Amino acid sequence: MTNIPETGRTSRVTIRLIVLQVLVFSLLLTLGGRLWYLQIRQGDEFAAEAAGNHVQQVVQPAVRGAVLDARGVPLADNETRLVVSADRTDLMRMRDGGQQVLAELAEVLGMDEEEVAHRVRLCNADTPKPCWNGSPYQPIPITDEATTQQALQIRERAEDFPGISAEPTAVRRYPAPYDAQTAQVLGYLSPVTDEEVEEAKDTPSPLLRSDQVGRSGLERTYDSHLRGSAGITRYEVDKLGRVIGEAEGEPARAGANVVTSIDARVQGLLEKELSQAMEDARNERDSITGRNYEADSGAAVIMETKTGRVVAMASYPDYDPNVWIGGIASDEYERLTGEDANHPLLNRAIQGQSAPGSTFKVVTSAGAVNAGYDFDGRYNCSSSYSAGGQSFRNFESRGYGPIGLAQALEVSCNTVFYALAHQEWLKDGGTKPKEDPGDWLFRAAHDFGLGSPTGIDLPNEVAGRIPDRKWKQDYYDGMKDTWCSMAESDSNDLAHQIARENCVDGYVMRAGDAINFAIGQGDVLVTPIQMATIYAALGNGGTLFQPAIGKAVIGADGSVVEEIVPEAAGTLPASEQTIRKIDNALRDVITRGTASWRFVGWPQDHIPLRAKTGTGEVANKQTTSWLATYSDDFSVVMTISQAGTGSGASGPAIRNVYDALYGVQEDGTIDPDAALLPKPEEGLPEIDENGTIVAQRDE
């Protein structure tokens, strides 16, 4: 065996260590170079590729809650339809902006090419309907009435229809039970806008671009309850769109249901009677103008006297709210908004303003008593009344001699109220008012709730108008320049004569202003809901309720989220004795006064009714019919523009409503089995063990 010297062995170990060190250093140098190459040389490229891996959100729309009547019958709910939608972002990436795809789609759907193109264009101030007023980044519905064959054709030929989808979707529906459209009360939906999404992002109810929101009526008032919250599934996808994982998502939460105080049966009846009354009026000749009444619009309200809950609310002309579903067609939009449409989207029960005529006299009566006049005193009911060189006539120029306020209400004597208003005007200083005038009649009107919104749970209610001294001054300040400009004209027609007078002292409360005010004429404006509230208050002893349509919010699981309790908004400015005397006078209107000819044979001893007729006079138009009534249970008010007298045009319709409510037969007997709603519906509909609201339907 050969012995290796110690120095040779040490040299080999050293060489091996050096080689190992060089190898390690080379590996580290190679790794460092590779890291530099990836992070520095190609850093931007790989960052871009990494950005291609992102989270994609898939939204599952929440099922919108239903709007139900007092017995659980759906007024607005949902149904599954085949909806064809277009992704505008995908279409805009195409060379022709998607025109060819939309043209082929129109052919498959049997729609007009132009109509389809219009539905995907974005709305702005210069773009007429139809157009898309929602977010441009969400699918735009083309139709919600696609057939199964059309949907299959679109899906099977997906390469021919890029950006187009056909999916079963829950769509809003307004079923109109008992032929009750309830259009203006329910309102309608439309897509949320980007601005609304931005505004709501930090609120308790944020919006998604896929959401539909209420635009009017109950759909708008209770939108946050009805809408629920959409579900979101988040997928991690690479730049090629391939799913590489699933992130945390949120389940959809169905919207709550809103139970209302509306009774669909009564709603359908009221709509029918209002429409029929207007049709009948158009067949009657106006003795003043010599032509038939135009009866161009109308409204009616039925309210519970003891709670202020609205049982039915009708406005005419009306429309079918289903036209908004899936995007409104151009011809339908024109029909609703054109010059000849007469504003069917307007809810005239809360937005229609007109002079109330003699239905206002209950306000004047209470104000006169508060001013010190005896309700049972004697006041001259002459055929006309003169003041300031003007003569103000009694209706049909009939006089009754000295009568009390009760009979003045019964026969609707204008001149009694003219005199009361004129005397109060003189006491307050006439055209040179005292520093602190009493203004008892104006004060009473405000205390009756007039000149202010009632606060009903519907959007865009108007306030009406009480033309008191403040209003006169404000109106003068706004019109002075116009009047004074007209005053410089050489024209001497009536309008320019009035302008010259108003330019000088248009703010002055004149005798004629006060006299006209006393009978609900001149510049007085009220809404039907205000008058229904007033007459309901007379029926319950003096409490002015804030009208309400919503009764309860019921969760999707059947739990009561919120019960909407009626709220008192104030009390009538009259003593119990005065209210009782007005009530008795209004009973006499039914039995022997101006409405008696419409209520012949009514079982007054069993179901006492009270009423006040009104005929509103409007410059250059035919008279407006008003009839305000109440029983112990309900207040019923109807008004029809350009239709004649209160009892003449509205009388038969309101009589038919009461007959149906209480089951009154032609011979005056009462059939309880035929009664539609003899007492208000007090409780909520039945909710079964599954949380489903059970609709109570007639056999």
Side-chain angles (χ1 to χ4, degrees):
M1 182 173 180
T2 305
N3 293 324
I4 301 174
E6 188 68 28
T7 55
R9 188 178 299 163
T10 301
S11 177
R12 280 183 203 171
V13 170
T14 302
I15 291 171
R16 288 174 182 171
L17 288 173
I18 291 172
V19 170
L20 183 62
Q21 288 174 348
V22 170
L23 180 62
V24 170
F25 179 76
S26 298
L27 290 173
L28 290 174
L29 186 64
T30 301
L31 180 62
R34 183 61 176 168
L35 288 174
W36 175 86
Y37 180 78
L38 293 175
Q39 294 187 17
I40 306 300
R41 184 69 180 273
Q42 288 190 308
D44 292 341
E45 179 182 343
F46 282 106
E49 288 186 13
N53 298 335
H54 59 280
V55 175
Q56 188 71 262
Q57 292 190 159
V58 177
V59 177
Q60 296 87 37
V63 176
R64 192 172 179 87
V67 179
L68 310 166
D69 86 341
R71 305 190 311 149
V73 177
L75 300 172
D77 59 7
N78 309 289
E79 65 179 351
T80 301
R81 297 187 187 179
L82 284 171
V83 177
V84 175
S85 303
D87 188 321
R88 193 175 188 279
T89 303
D90 287 348
L91 295 176
M92 291 302 103
R93 292 195 184 110
M94 302 175 190
R95 290 184 177 180
D96 63 351
Q99 291 182 18
Q100 182 61 36
V101 171
L102 293 176
E104 292 182 12
L105 179 63
E107 184 177 351
V108 170
L109 297 176
M111 296 176 65
D112 182 72
E113 286 186 27
E114 185 179 37
E115 179 79 14
V116 172
H118 284 177
R119 286 182 181 242
V120 298
R121 64 184 179 180
L122 301 181
C123 291
N124 58 41
D126 300 321
T127 305
K129 296 280 187 177
C131 56
W132 179 248
N133 66 345
S135 170
Y137 303 108
Q138 71 181 86
I140 301 173
I142 303 299
T143 180
D144 60 1
E145 297 179 339
T147 65
T148 303
Q149 183 178 359
Q150 289 169 339
L152 287 174
Q153 191 172 352
I154 292 169
R155 300 189 70 167
E156 289 173 354
R157 295 170 51 199
E159 68 281 359
D160 295 332
F161 296 103
I164 305 299
S165 62
E167 302 288 344
T169 307
V171 175
R172 202 58 164 169
R173 177 181 74 126
Y174 301 98
Y178 306 99
D179 295 325
Q181 296 278 17
T182 329
Q184 295 90 350
V185 173
L186 291 171
Y188 61 92
L189 307 177
S190 73
V192 68
T193 65
D194 284 346
E195 291 76 13
E196 289 169 326
V197 171
E198 183 65 24
E199 290 173 3
K201 67 179 182 180
D202 296 324
T203 68
S205 299
L207 295 167
L208 298 175
R209 287 193 171 106
S210 59
D211 281 335
Q212 296 257 327
V213 294
R215 293 301 180 193
S216 68
L218 296 174
E219 293 278 28
R220 175 173 168 182
T221 300
Y222 294 100
D223 182 72
S224 60
H225 290 294
L226 292 165
R227 190 172 67 245
S229 59
I232 300 176
T233 302
R234 296 182 177 90
Y235 294 103
E236 295 176 358
V237 298
D238 62 19
K239 66 176 182 178
L240 299 177
R242 296 173 298 198
V243 176
I244 59 177
E246 184 172 336
E248 184 178 354
E250 300 160 12
R253 179 176 58 82
N257 303 303
V258 174
V259 176
T260 70
S261 54
I262 298 290
D263 187 301
R265 302 167 304 168
V266 180
Q267 177 72 28
L269 169 71
L270 189 64
E271 290 180 10
K272 172 188 169 187
E273 291 298 335
L274 175 61
S275 176
Q276 186 63 52
M278 294 176 64
E279 184 178 335
D280 291 343
R282 295 186 195 111
N283 293 321
E284 294 290 329
R285 185 165 294 277
D286 180 3
S287 61
I288 298 174
T289 64
R291 53 186 172 84
N292 284 14
Y293 288 110
E294 293 187 19
D296 53 355
S297 61
V301 177
I302 300 177
M303 179 186 293
E304 296 175 7
T305 58
K306 296 179 177 65
T307 66
R309 296 191 189 279
V310 176
V311 177
M313 177 181 285
S315 179
Y316 195 90
D318 64 356
Y319 68 99
D320 180 1
N322 288 293
V323 299
W324 294 97
I325 297 172
I328 190 167
S330 55
D331 57 341
E332 286 288 353
Y333 190 79
E334 176 62 25
R335 190 181 70 81
L336 294 180
T337 61
E339 292 183 4
D340 299 329
N342 199 14
H343 310 292
L345 300 179
L346 188 73
N347 185 348
R348 286 176 163 83
I350 66 169
Q351 297 171 302
Q353 305 178 99
S354 65
S358 293
T359 58
F360 187 81
K361 289 174 181 174
V362 295
V363 177
T364 307
S365 297
V369 172
N370 293 341
Y373 296 91
D374 185 356
F375 191 90
D376 299 319
R378 309 304 287 173
Y379 307 97
N380 186 30
C381 178
S382 56
S383 61
S384 64
Y385 184 85
S386 297
Q390 288 182 278
S391 181
F392 300 87
R393 65 184 179 85
N394 204 353
F395 188 68
E396 296 181 349
S397 299
R398 185 176 180 186
Y400 288 86
I403 59 175
L405 288 181
Q407 191 177 357
L409 288 171
E410 174 194 323
V411 300
S412 202
C413 179
N414 288 351
T415 52
V416 166
F417 296 97
Y418 291 155
L420 290 172
H422 189 212
Q423 290 170 33
E424 279 304 294
W425 177 78
L426 290 172
K427 286 181 182 179
D428 287 335
T431 56
K432 297 180 180 179
K434 297 185 296 187
E435 185 174 340
D436 187 21
D439 285 340
W440 288 102
L441 303 189
F442 296 123
R443 190 183 305 177
H446 285 295
D447 290 343
F448 266 78
L450 299 176
S452 302
T454 64
I456 189 172
D457 52 346
L458 288 175
N460 303 318
E461 181 191 7
V462 300
R465 182 170 69 207
I466 295 301
D468 55 15
R469 297 180 195 278
K470 182 181 183 306
W471 179 84
K472 288 281 288 185
Q473 184 64 57
D474 292 344
Y475 189 58
Y476 173 77
D477 292 342
M479 291 294 295
K480 181 180 179 181
D481 291 343
T482 301
W483 285 331
C484 292
S485 177
M486 289 179 65
E488 296 175 358
S489 171
D490 294 333
S491 177
N492 201 35
D493 60 19
L494 181 60
H496 286 80
Q497 292 179 33
I498 294 174
R500 292 187 189 98
E501 184 179 355
N502 286 338
C503 175
V504 177
D505 59 359
Y507 57 88
V508 173
M509 180 69 67
R510 302 187 181 95
D513 296 324
I515 286 172
N516 279 320
F517 175 82
I519 62 163
Q521 291 289 168
D523 292 309
V524 182
L525 292 177
V526 303
T527 64
I529 191 65
Q530 289 175 324
M531 300 310 288
T533 302
I534 286 173
Y535 279 81
L538 289 171
N540 67 39
T543 301
L544 284 163
F545 280 101
Q546 179 175 310
I549 298 178
K551 201 171 183 180
V553 178
I554 309 294
D557 60 355
S559 61
V560 179
V561 177
E562 178 185 358
E563 192 160 354
I564 302 165
V565 180
E567 295 183 11
T571 57
L572 295 181
S575 65
E576 291 183 13
Q577 183 182 38
T578 299
I579 292 174
R580 186 169 59 253
K581 289 182 176 182
I582 292 175
D583 180 85
N584 288 333
L586 300 183
R587 290 181 188 231
D588 291 339
V589 174
I590 289 286
T591 57
R592 63 191 188 199
T594 53
S596 60
W597 66 299
R598 292 302 193 188
F599 288 88
V600 174
W602 179 260
Q604 186 75 347
D605 292 340
H606 296 90
I607 308 171
L609 295 183
R610 300 81 153 177
K612 185 70 196 79
T613 57
T615 306
E617 297 179 77
V618 184
N620 302 318
K621 287 190 176 183
Q622 295 168 306
T623 54
T624 296
S625 167
W626 277 92
L627 182 55
T629 69
Y630 61 93
S631 66
D632 292 341
D633 309 295
F634 305 104
S635 163
V636 183
V637 172
M638 182 175 288
T639 180
I640 306 175
S641 170
Q642 302 198 89
T645 65
S647 59
S650 301
I654 287 187
R655 170 65 188 265
N656 290 341
V657 166
Y658 278 117
D659 284 345
L661 288 175
Y662 291 108
V664 177
Q665 306 301 296
E666 289 186 9
D667 60 1
T669 60
I670 302 170
D671 181 359
D673 294 334
L676 205 57
L677 191 66
K679 294 291 180 184
E681 193 78 41
E682 293 185 359
L684 295 176
E686 178 188 351
I687 301 174
D688 67 17
E689 64 276 7
N690 299 317
T692 302
I693 299 174
V694 181
Q696 177 186 345
R697 295 186 181 272
D698 295 333
E699 297 295 334

